[in-house]
Amino acid sequence: MPEITHRAPNCATAPKAGNEGVYHLQLKPGDVPGYVLLPGAPERTTVIAKNWDDVREIASYREYKTVSGTYEGVKLAATSTGIGGPSSEICIHELRTLGAHTCIRVGTTGSIVPEFDLNDLIIPVACVRKDGTSVTYVEPEFPAFADTRVVMALMRACEKLGFRYGLGLSYTTGSFYIGQGRPLNEDGSGYWPSFAEKLIPDLQQARVTNIEMETAAQYVVGYLHGMRMGAVLSVIANRALNRWGDDGG
Ligand code: URA
């Protein structure tokens, strides 16, 4: 008779991965400390951790890669969120179940104002919630805002390191192309609704500083789960001058 092994039954409300970790991040309690940095791309976790000590790659599955380590004696982790609100929601939720309490998105963005050019850093104090994910958590009038203590810490770090930075109001959208005012074809043919044409001028009127795809969802989901959230975004597109310069932020 083949030997029958018994595993604890999995449950649908909080599914576990094959390694008994949380389903998508594949991390177990104790794998991440309270402070977690959140790049979008998996390869950026390793770049972020290059000046850390005791660096360990803990898990890598789909868009989610996690490395942990210490910096000046403080335990840290970096977990990639993937692109957009849905994958960010999964990441923040699962990190929270593991005890993470303070998360900082380390990402990229497109500037729509002359004050921020390529390579500048924007710290969004709040976001317009066009992410499409945060409305599944709470009504659209609820604000998406950063934790003031995290914003202050990021400002201090930028001052100390001599980076050009400023505070911003981010437009977070669930689209990279039409929803950010990018036509299908350069000659203007194809689907190109009037709202897409007017998007950037209208946001400029409303004094929005930049466009990206994750921050609002992360701020709202994190806040509702009792976390301190913040973000620092490197400008890789200048939509006013139609310039692109992605050196990885
Ligand atoms: N990320 C975005 O979502 N848009 C940009 O233009 C640049 C980075």
Side-chain angles (χ1 to χ4, degrees), residues 87-143:
S87 63
S88 288
E89 182 257 353
I90 288 170
C91 184
I92 305 279
H93 180 106
E94 294 188 2
L95 284 174
R96 186 59 176 144
T97 66
L98 298 166
H101 53 66
T102 305
C103 290
I104 300 176
R105 165 163 148 69
V106 183
T108 58
T109 190
S111 163
I112 62 168
V113 293
E115 293 91 308
F116 293 116
D117 205 354
L118 299 181
N119 292 322
D120 289 346
L121 297 178
I122 300 179
I123 300 167
V125 292
C127 309
V128 181
R129 291 177 51 199
K130 280 280 183 183
D131 55 281
T133 297
S134 61
V135 286
T136 67
Y137 270 60
V138 68
E139 56 196 332
E141 292 81 5
F142 191 87

Side-chain angles (χ1 to χ4, degrees), residues 108-110 175-176 180 182 211-213 236-237 239 244:
T108 58
T109 190
S175 155
F176 185 81
Q180 292 194 23
R182 291 188 168 101
I211 308 180
E212 46 77 49
M213 297 181 67
I236 62 164
R239 301 301 303 279
W244 181 268

Side-chain angles (χ1 to χ4, degrees), residues 174-186:
S175 155
F176 185 81
Y177 289 106
I178 300 294
Q180 292 194 23
R182 291 188 168 101
L184 184 64
N185 299 307
E186 286 196 16

